Amino acid sequence: MDLAPLAVMIVDDEAPARDRLRDLLGDIASEQPTQVVGMASNGVEALRQLEDVKVDVLLVDIRMPAMDGIEFAQHASRLTFPPKIIFITAFDEYAVQAFELAALDYLLKPVRAERLANALQKVRKSSNSTRDVIDTIAAPRRHLTCSERGKIHLIPIGEVLYLKAELKYVTARTLNREYLLEESLVQLEGEFPDRFVRIHRNCLVAREAVIGFERSVGEDGGEGYWSVRLNNVPELLPISRRQWANVRAVLGD
């Protein structure tokens, strides 16, 4: 039975490497039919292309500028219909072991046609969720992603002042605006422990953004509470009694 072509995107910062992979896909087309629907030089460019095209499998280099393959895979795994991921790497066998759990397969450069065909066959047979696999990666991202009306916004993690859980979303506040993230506050806290500190069950603040604390009077003259003031943020963010001791220990009096 004829196989349906797989929609493939090639992501590599070196043009000759992208061209070689495209040519290899052509060489094995009778065995593993594919259609190259996109080529990108880094993860940021690839995410932009994924806004407009459906991709079955990503062939992704690991070392790239702007956004490397690992972080790109983390973002791609959070798409509504995440593609399967095959890493392309120049690392030797020992170094590659660190990435085995992060993708369906990996190929060592220079890529051989037979090995590429086998990897694509794995894609066709696999029922594993890319989302579940990539979530095993421990390295924190340099960006968060927000999808708005079909467009993917990249939010540099260094620009996020606070993260607040509201209903099923998390609001990420930067100096310029707010973004809605479809991620959990617990997961974000675990991924960025050195960047954010929890001040309330529904709020994490960027440590570097804190400029002081203020004591507020409770409603109807009741017991007061502490709030944190962030640089360039007009509103005060309340600190829960449970978190106050830890916040004071981490951020200072």
Side-chain angles (χ1 to χ4, degrees):
M1 184 174 64
D2 292 339
L3 297 175
L6 291 170
V8 177
M9 179 180 290
I10 299 170
V11 189
D12 195 303
D13 62 318
E14 298 181 353
R18 296 194 299 271
D19 293 341
R20 173 172 166 73
L21 281 173
R22 182 189 57 199
D23 293 344
L24 282 176
L25 290 171
D27 293 342
I28 62 174
S30 60
E31 179 183 356
Q32 291 293 338
T34 57
Q35 179 185 8
V36 177
V37 296
M39 298 177 73
S41 61
N42 59 62
V44 174
E45 185 179 326
L47 281 174
R48 298 300 184 208
Q49 292 188 31
L50 285 173
E51 295 174 353
D52 302 316
V53 65
K54 181 182 181 299
V55 175
D56 297 313
V57 57
L58 296 159
L59 301 179
V60 183
D61 188 22
I62 290 178
R63 287 189 171 177
M64 297 182 292
M67 179 185 290
D68 64 25
I70 297 294
E71 182 174 359
F72 168 65
Q74 289 172 299
H75 292 303
S77 74
R78 290 174 167 83
L79 297 175
T80 304
F81 301 103
K84 300 295 172 59
I85 295 171
I86 298 172
F87 277 140
I88 313 293
T89 176
F91 295 146
D92 62 25
E93 295 283 355
Y94 299 102
V96 165
Q97 291 176 2
F99 303 110
E100 281 192 271
L101 292 178
L104 185 67
D105 203 349
Y106 64 89
L107 304 175
L108 288 173
K109 293 182 178 180
V111 176
R112 295 182 292 110
E114 179 183 1
R115 186 70 180 85
L116 178 57
N118 290 339
L120 293 174
Q121 183 63 18
K122 283 186 180 181
V123 170
R124 294 185 185 276
K125 291 182 176 181
S126 173
S127 60
N128 292 337
S129 167
T130 299
R131 190 186 309 275
D132 294 339
V133 174
I134 298 301
D135 278 347
T136 65
I137 300 176
R141 292 165 286 169
R142 291 181 294 173
H143 303 78
L144 300 176
T145 50
C146 168
S147 180
E148 293 180 346
R149 293 184 286 277
K151 298 297 182 182
I152 299 173
H153 295 272
L154 288 173
I155 313 157
I157 194 66
E159 295 182 8
V160 177
L161 301 173
Y162 68 74
L163 297 158
K164 183 181 290 187
E166 298 175 306
L167 300 177
K168 67 175 183 176
Y169 296 99
V170 168
T171 298
R173 169 67 187 272
T174 68
L175 183 61
N176 297 319
R177 55 162 293 185
E178 295 181 343
Y179 299 88
L180 291 182
L181 313 178
E182 294 188 42
E183 303 191 45
S184 77
L185 207 63
V186 171
Q187 184 270 325
L188 290 166
E189 182 181 25
E191 187 176 357
F192 304 103
D194 297 329
R195 171 70 186 172
F196 298 101
V197 61
R198 183 178 288 273
I199 64 168
H200 197 278
R201 62 180 176 80
N202 70 345
C203 189
L204 307 174
V205 299
R207 301 181 185 214
E208 295 180 359
V210 175
I211 58 175
F213 304 106
E214 291 192 21
R215 183 76 172 172
S216 301
V217 178
E219 295 183 4
D220 300 325
E223 185 178 354
Y225 59 92
W226 288 96
S227 297
V228 65
R229 182 173 291 282
L230 303 182
N231 193 27
N232 295 314
V233 176
E235 69 266 31
L236 294 172
L237 300 175
I239 305 170
S240 69
R241 283 186 230 167
R242 174 179 294 182
Q243 298 297 334
W244 170 239
N246 180 63
V247 171
R248 186 172 54 182
V250 171
L251 299 177
D253 295 330

